[in-house]
Amino acid sequence: MDVKDLVPKKGTAKTLGPLDKRKKKTRCKACAQRRIKCQGGFPCQFCRQNKRLCVPPSPQNDSAIVFINQTDGSQLPYKPEQESQVISTLLSLPPKIKSDTVTQLTGHFFTGFLDTNDFTDNRIMSERISSLYQSSRSLYHALVSIAALDASKHATGWSTREVKAVELAAFNSYHISMVALSIDLKEDRLITNDACLWSTFLLSIFELMYDATGDGWVQHFLYGTSRVLQVRGPQNCRSGHGRSLFLSMRVFEICRSAIYVEPTFLADPEWLQLLSEIRYENPVIWHPKEALLDIMTSVVALSHKAHVLDRAGRVASQDALLSLVAVGNLLQADLYRWSSIVSCLDLGNPLIDSQILIARIYYHATSIFLSGIFDYRPCYSSLQVQTPSLSQSEIDVHVDGILGLASLALNSTYLSGVLFFYPLRVAGARVKNDNDKQSLLRMLERITSRNFVVAGAFVADLEKLWAS
């Protein structure tokens, strides 16, 4: 795959994610209020001529749109002199954080946001981002956007005007980061620059904090982080920082694929070979969580294969169905084996190792997920062979495991709330009694209170499911 194949060609419209080539248009708030066409860019022509602040629109129900002007190939969509306009806005923050604003915001990201949001390996994340952000415009502003938005949500004693000013600083930085990232794409920096990958990841996290629909995160992660990883290729993820970065981010790609029933590049042969080589060469770093993620990758790939058969528009052959059943039975045996091994390990208090805790939660969720591939499709019950389908009592045990361990993790660890969307959604589809439903909703509300407003979309989805 070539980087140039992923960069939007001249004349295309604004994009959703940094590598999304689909046409999608939008207007800034000033142009929307005047009901005129927005030319795009930052700031847009109207805002520049009228010396107005160019502000992204509020998220719509269809998706969260970002602005990148790709219509004029003769000029870069971002100019250094334009940055000073936004930096002046960043420095015009409320008195409570006005002094040395940038330092305080970057400090809040590392000591405020990351300290309370463990994304599975924050030590590596903190070390890499801190070593890169001062030399990368896209990463620097992605970092500031998250810090400012998080700070605005935790503000105490601030006036409404002060909170709005910090929120505006967050959106301005988000906007600059996206434009700076588009320059990186044009200059083919993806393969050699880790900052690009971290930028796409942080921008997707920003969407989870801002866009209550979840669509913005999907676009950023699918057409950003996941695509950048593919462009870099397995050869750049075998060792060093590339390996650490890949292992830190693959859990989000797996969960995205599971939640939205979409294929994942992680199931492609070259990426499976990469994981096999990492396992063989670095057995010490292969935490039990990584072993479970290997199984999860195969399970979501099996789910997609079953989904493809459903959409084929014809009755699948018995051989095709039996082949999926055979793979499913092997994966279920792998899950049982993983659980047996982990239960025998001397891992101490699971609260000390939060990664074991989240892995156990994912084990219960993936056991249900695998069963669901066969539970909801009558064609498998007619085969008269053993399938990975679980009994209701077995499913209840796994649901209890998810709810109990997730509650424990949310109350006693700093694991980021975004890690719980996949297991809670799986549990929500199988939960039976009202008490468990209320318990699940309280956990999603708690995740919302941690500034991940996208949890509201899962609440709405589950309430609709339970009402049907």
Side-chain angles (χ1 to χ4, degrees):
M1 183 180 295
D2 193 330
V3 175
K4 294 182 177 60
D5 295 334
L6 300 175
V7 179
K9 304 299 188 294
K10 296 180 181 179
T12 59
K14 291 78 181 174
T15 57
L16 286 165
L19 294 173
D20 184 1
K21 295 186 290 184
R22 296 177 300 166
K23 295 183 178 181
K24 190 75 175 182
K25 297 184 178 181
T26 188
R27 294 183 291 179
C28 70
K29 285 189 175 181
C31 290
Q33 289 174 354
R34 293 182 62 84
R35 298 183 180 179
I36 61 176
K37 181 179 180 181
C38 186
Q39 299 299 321
F42 182 75
C44 71
Q45 182 178 349
F46 172 78
C47 292
R48 185 167 60 251
Q49 290 177 347
N50 293 273
K51 298 181 179 180
R52 301 188 63 172
L53 187 61
C54 196
V55 181
S58 301
Q60 303 298 318
N61 290 333
D62 54 348
S63 63
I65 309 302
V66 296
F67 300 7
I68 300 179
N69 184 2
Q70 301 284 359
T71 58
D72 186 359
S74 63
Q75 296 180 348
L76 291 175
Y78 180 87
K79 298 179 181 179
E81 60 267 23
Q82 294 174 344
E83 181 176 18
S84 62
Q85 301 174 19
V86 179
I87 290 298
S88 64
T89 302
L90 286 172
L91 295 176
S92 301
L93 293 172
K96 287 184 180 292
I97 59 172
K98 188 173 183 179
S99 174
D100 200 5
T101 302
V102 173
T103 300
Q104 291 199 25
L105 286 177
T106 55
H108 178 76
F109 176 83
F110 291 106
T111 62
F113 180 76
L114 281 188
D115 278 358
T116 56
N117 283 280
D118 184 353
F119 292 99
T120 73
D121 199 337
N122 275 18
R123 180 185 58 81
I124 292 176
M125 182 181 296
S126 180
E127 289 176 356
R128 290 303 294 146
I129 293 178
S130 62
S131 69
L132 294 169
Y133 82 94
Q134 294 187 15
S135 59
S136 168
R137 182 178 296 167
S138 63
L139 181 57
Y140 168 82
H141 285 291
L143 180 156
V144 171
S145 69
I146 288 179
L149 187 59
D150 188 66
S152 71
K153 302 301 182 182
H154 288 109
T156 56
W158 289 7
S159 67
T160 301
R161 183 187 66 80
E162 290 171 335
V163 172
K164 291 296 182 183
V166 181
E167 289 179 342
L168 185 57
F171 295 121
N172 282 338
S173 283
Y174 170 88
H175 195 151
I176 296 173
S177 179
M178 284 300 306
V179 178
L181 190 58
S182 73
I183 297 176
D184 292 337
L185 299 184
K186 285 189 173 183
E187 298 182 0
D188 293 356
R189 299 176 185 170
L190 298 183
I191 294 178
T192 59
N193 190 350
D194 288 349
C196 292
L197 190 50
W198 284 115
S199 297
T200 62
F201 177 72
L202 292 186
L203 289 170
S204 68
I205 294 300
F206 181 93
E207 289 289 349
L208 292 173
M209 299 170 64
Y210 170 63
D211 176 20
T213 68
D215 295 334
W217 173 75
V218 173
Q219 300 307 329
H220 270 295
F221 203 87
L222 179 60
Y223 293 99
T225 308
S226 294
R227 198 62 63 88
V228 172
L229 280 171
Q230 293 176 72
V231 170
R232 290 164 65 97
Q235 66 274 11
N236 289 295
C237 300
R238 282 194 168 88
S239 60
H241 295 307
R243 181 187 66 202
S244 299
L245 194 151
F246 166 67
L247 293 178
S248 295
M249 295 186 179
R250 72 168 180 144
V251 61
F252 299 99
E253 166 63 12
I254 294 170
C255 289
R256 179 201 65 79
S257 178
I259 292 172
Y260 295 97
V261 196
E262 292 181 345
T264 172
F265 70 92
L266 294 176
D268 293 344
E270 61 269 26
W271 290 95
L272 293 175
Q273 178 63 28
L274 167 66
L275 289 166
S276 178
E277 292 175 2
I278 295 176
R279 266 196 314 271
Y280 177 77
E281 296 171 3
N282 308 274
V284 176
I285 70 167
W286 212 246
H287 190 281
K289 183 199 72 180
E290 302 300 334
L292 181 66
L293 292 179
D294 291 344
I295 301 173
M296 289 175 62
T297 300
S298 298
V299 171
V300 296
L302 180 66
S303 175
H304 179 66
K305 290 179 180 178
H307 189 60
V308 169
L309 282 181
D310 292 342
R311 297 189 320 185
R314 54 184 174 78
V315 178
S317 68
Q318 187 177 49
D319 287 345
L321 297 176
L322 288 173
S323 175
L324 294 186
V325 170
V327 174
N329 285 331
L330 290 175
L331 290 173
Q332 188 174 68
D334 288 341
L335 285 169
Y336 289 152
R337 190 178 303 110
W338 182 91
S339 178
S340 177
I341 292 173
V342 169
S343 64
C344 294
L345 292 177
D346 184 14
L347 297 169
N349 189 335
L351 298 182
I352 297 175
D353 190 344
S354 59
Q355 301 312 306
I356 284 293
L357 190 54
I358 193 65
R360 284 174 168 161
I361 296 170
Y362 280 7
Y363 158 73
H364 289 296
T366 305
S367 296
I368 296 176
F369 186 89
L370 175 60
S371 177
I373 297 174
F374 303 92
D375 295 343
Y376 300 116
R377 294 177 169 92
C379 56
Y380 293 102
S381 60
S382 63
L383 294 177
Q384 297 183 343
V385 296
Q386 181 180 354
T387 70
S389 292
L390 299 174
S391 67
Q392 185 59 54
S393 61
E394 290 173 317
I395 290 175
D396 291 342
V397 169
H398 287 300
V399 169
D400 290 343
I402 294 171
L403 297 182
L405 292 175
S407 178
L408 177 65
L410 287 169
N411 288 325
S412 57
T413 74
Y414 287 119
L415 286 168
S416 177
V418 301
L419 295 170
F420 297 94
F421 290 140
Y422 159 66
L424 291 181
R425 179 60 182 84
V426 170
R430 298 297 189 111
V431 71
K432 294 298 182 182
N433 66 71
D434 290 339
N435 287 337
D436 286 344
K437 290 179 181 179
Q438 292 305 311
S439 174
L440 197 155
L441 292 178
R442 283 194 296 270
M443 282 188 272
L444 288 172
E445 289 168 1
R446 180 159 187 170
I447 294 172
T448 301
S449 71
R450 291 187 177 184
N451 290 348
F452 291 105
V453 298
V454 72
F458 287 89
V459 171
D461 182 46
L462 288 174
E463 290 180 338
K464 180 179 179 180
L465 175 66
W466 295 338
S468 61

